[in-house]
Amino acid sequence: MHFLSEDFLLHSDFARRLYHGFAANAPLLDFHSHLPADDISSDRRFHDLTEIWLEGDHYKWRAMRAHGVAESLCTGDASPYEKFLAWARTLPYTLRNPLYHWAHLELKRYFQVEEALDERTAKRVWERANSLLADDGFTAQAILRRFSVQVACTSNDPCESLDAHAAINRAELGFRVYPTFRPDNALRVGHPQSFAAWVQRLTEASNVDIGSFAAFVRALQRRHEYFHEHGARLSDHGLPYCYASPCSESQAEEIFTRARAGVAASPAEQEQFASLLMLFFARLDAARGWTKQLHLGALRGVNTQAVARCGADGGFDAVGDWPQAERLAAYLDLLERESALPKMVVYNLNPADNYVFATIAGAFTDRCPGKIQLGSAWWFLDQKDGIEAQLNALSRTGLLAHFVGMVTDSRSFMSFPRHEYFRRILCDVIGRDVENGELPEDEAWLGKVVRNICFENARDYLGLETPNLRPSKAQAAEHANR
Ligand SMILES: [Zn+2]
């Protein structure tokens, strides 16, 4: 088989039928990303391949550093072409890393580049991509349409303005962009300086005078409502592990007041404070029918000197190994006991937690199919082995057919082929079972399962409004004239 052929990753005839017949053309519902809504509302144009492809991409920086590339060519002030060339020189050495597949798939799907990128082909690829990027078909909005994105969700601090989201959705662009409520900063009483500054921002955003913990909670509630009005139906938290320590209102009040006065909460107090707030956030989500996402298990910024040089989210993170099971179970149980358990997607970063998360999820069910979901393979696990392992853990302990599927979790407009990558692996896994005689050769049924995992399950589960399916004004006028 040729590299990245039409049947890439599809090892059986049935897998090929599934992929080409049911998955390839399904629209995208990318319910977890870090795309900047401003770039979409302003319909950003990208001047060169470095700007759209390398800017902010800590996966690529990490590979470049591992290859011995100087920091000036990763996050530093080298010219765009020098940075691109350093990446092109690195790429051949990323063989068997998902970057090797992603990068070539991206070049092929965006710019029809058929040759492998390396030092020799760099100049040609650079010129071809840059000339296409000047075209109207490569603005932020055009890219979303090109990849049939029906809905994309961004990740937003509760203090952020959602004007850009409102403008996008008013404009009827053929897709919707919704915010996600990500209140990680509300938990940071261990860092009193930045916490006090953040509470000040929250005061301004919410118009609530935050003189007490009760007012703090009220302000957060008001922002949750504001997000809801802007179409948000998801929240998200990035935590090392779930917090479920007992904490009374008066204890939280005391921790809050001291943190605002500049006294850092102890690690035990931080957990207590976070536990109380996480229950509060879940109640808000449950009351409004939202879905909560938990990204658990990242050990962030392990190389402190490198973080000091290059900043957070620069590629110096690792898989953590905290015990997850009891805390996650306790958190869900507390919520279930007060009938305030929202729908939830839990993502593990440690591959050892696949079965832990999958089985805890399966213990909390109600009339909502797949109410607590094992999230798609995340970050270091978002690759061939990790995706298969996630699909297998979910299949063996729960109902794969109700899985809400893949997300890009990306900051880049070049990451949409990650859905294609996932879909090929999904079809290959099911196709293999058919070839082995472990599933019947029922194309209609298995095709429907695939299609649902690609799009329909997420649409039905999340309850996000999809673009208006009514014909546009132009189409309606054309129709009337016939
Ligand atoms: Zn994310």
Side-chain angles (χ1 to χ4, degrees):
M1 200 186 282
H2 294 299
F3 176 57
L4 282 192
S5 76
E6 279 305 290
D7 294 331
F8 175 53
L9 298 173
L10 302 168
H11 298 102
S12 65
D13 179 51
F14 199 82
R16 292 188 276 275
R17 272 150 61 197
L18 280 181
Y19 178 73
H20 295 297
F22 300 90
N25 297 321
L28 297 193
L29 204 164
D30 198 27
F31 61 88
H32 179 65
S33 86
H34 297 269
L35 290 175
D38 284 338
D39 285 357
I40 303 171
S41 92
S42 66
D43 201 15
R44 178 175 174 184
R45 251 173 215 282
F46 302 90
H47 300 99
D48 59 54
L49 190 49
T50 293
E51 189 182 318
I52 193 171
W53 208 30
L54 273 65
E55 202 180 80
D57 189 339
H58 55 78
Y59 290 82
K60 292 194 184 72
W61 298 337
R62 205 173 151 107
M64 288 160 79
R65 292 183 195 119
H67 186 51
V69 171
E71 195 59 41
S72 61
L73 293 159
C74 305
T75 57
D77 52 10
S79 74
Y81 184 69
E82 285 170 327
K83 286 181 172 175
F84 172 72
L85 187 59
W87 166 238
R89 285 175 174 148
T90 304
L91 187 55
Y93 290 85
T94 69
L95 78 169
R96 303 200 79 239
N97 183 294
L99 282 169
Y100 193 81
H101 287 157
W102 287 351
H104 286 112
L105 208 52
E106 287 157 7
L107 289 175
K108 190 166 164 136
R109 294 293 174 255
Y110 284 70
F111 309 116
Q112 296 78 50
V113 171
E114 297 290 340
E115 56 191 350
L117 175 62
D118 58 25
E119 188 172 3
R120 289 164 307 164
T121 58
K123 186 92 185 155
R124 250 195 325 271
V125 170
W126 173 257
E127 281 168 3
R128 174 170 181 83
N130 290 352
S131 77
L132 285 167
L133 284 171
D135 191 87
D136 285 345
F138 287 87
T139 64
Q141 292 176 9
I143 289 171
L144 264 66
R145 279 191 290 268
R146 174 185 295 253
F147 285 90
S148 306
V149 176
Q150 288 234 336
V151 174
C153 295
T154 61
S155 302
N156 308 86
D157 183 275
C159 302
E160 276 181 48
S161 158
L162 303 178
D163 289 350
H165 296 81
I168 294 163
N169 294 331
R170 253 197 323 270
E172 297 279 354
L173 298 167
F175 53 80
R176 296 290 173 93
V177 178
Y178 296 120
T180 299
F181 189 77
R182 177 143 175 169
D184 291 356
N185 287 321
L187 310 181
R188 301 218 164 107
V189 281
H191 305 274
Q193 257 187 337
S194 54
F195 183 70
W198 188 78
V199 173
Q200 186 52 39
R201 280 188 65 205
L202 181 64
T203 304
E204 285 153 22
S206 64
N207 250 327
V208 173
D209 178 18
I210 305 180
S212 64
F213 178 69
F216 177 61
V217 163
R218 215 162 42 243
L220 288 166
Q221 195 161 3
R222 199 173 274 189
R223 295 307 287 175
H224 195 274
E225 196 177 325
Y226 169 76
F227 273 60
H228 190 82
E229 286 159 5
H230 284 75
R233 295 295 179 269
L234 288 132
S235 64
D236 181 32
H237 308 266
L239 307 173
Y241 47 83
C242 253
Y243 299 116
S245 315
C247 180
S248 67
E249 292 274 339
S250 62
Q251 282 172 314
E253 175 83 59
E254 204 178 299
I255 296 165
F256 175 78
T257 308
R258 271 191 284 122
R260 282 198 84 187
V263 183
S266 71
E269 288 171 335
Q270 289 173 47
E271 291 211 10
Q272 281 189 296
F273 188 79
S275 299
L276 189 104
L277 277 184
M278 286 302 290
L279 291 174
F280 162 72
F281 290 134
R283 289 183 201 116
L284 293 182
D285 292 346
R288 295 204 165 96
W290 287 23
T291 300
K292 179 176 284 311
Q293 296 170 100
L294 299 175
H295 285 89
L296 303 177
L299 183 61
R300 293 178 194 268
V302 293
N303 181 342
T304 52
Q305 284 191 303
V307 171
R309 273 197 311 273
C310 311
D313 298 326
F316 305 101
D317 311 308
V319 172
D321 65 351
W322 297 278
Q324 298 284 351
E326 290 180 20
R327 286 149 157 164
L328 176 60
Y331 179 56
L332 300 188
D333 192 45
L334 284 169
L335 291 165
E336 178 78 357
R337 276 197 255 169
E338 54 170 288
S339 303
L341 180 63
K343 291 175 285 180
M344 223 180 267
V345 185
V346 287
Y347 305 84
N348 57 299
L349 193 57
N350 190 322
D353 291 326
N354 280 350
Y355 276 78
V356 172
F357 281 30
T359 52
I360 291 173
F364 293 89
T365 51
D366 67 11
R367 297 298 303 279
C368 167
K371 173 163 177 176
I372 310 293
Q373 294 264 334
L374 176 67
S376 56
W378 167 44
W379 197 349
F380 298 113
L381 306 186
D382 183 3
Q383 27 81 6
K384 204 169 72 144
D385 300 338
I387 291 170
E388 280 205 28
Q390 188 272 354
L391 293 171
N392 286 334
L394 174 54
S395 304
R396 303 312 184 219
T397 65
L399 301 185
L400 174 69
H402 287 307
F403 180 34
V404 294
M406 182 62 179
V407 294
T408 60
D409 194 4
S410 176
R411 285 153 185 78
S412 163
F413 285 90
M414 288 277 289
S415 296
F416 292 113
R418 288 187 199 178
H419 282 271
E420 173 185 340
Y421 196 69
F422 165 82
R423 289 173 180 190
R424 287 176 182 272
I425 293 168
L426 171 69
C427 293
D428 194 50
V429 164
I430 295 177
R432 198 181 308 153
D433 283 1
V434 172
E435 297 291 311
N436 291 342
E438 295 173 31
L439 282 172
E441 199 175 336
D442 184 345
E443 193 171 320
W445 165 240
L446 295 173
K448 183 174 149 76
V449 168
V450 161
R451 177 89 188 181
N452 286 349
I453 295 171
C454 291
F455 180 74
E456 264 86 358
N457 285 349
R459 184 198 57 196
D460 297 346
Y461 175 90
L462 298 168
L464 292 162
E465 203 175 304
T466 47
N468 209 328
L469 292 177
R470 279 176 300 152
S472 70
K473 279 181 192 151
Q475 281 171 319
E478 198 178 291
H479 189 77
N481 289 340
R482 273 194 205 134

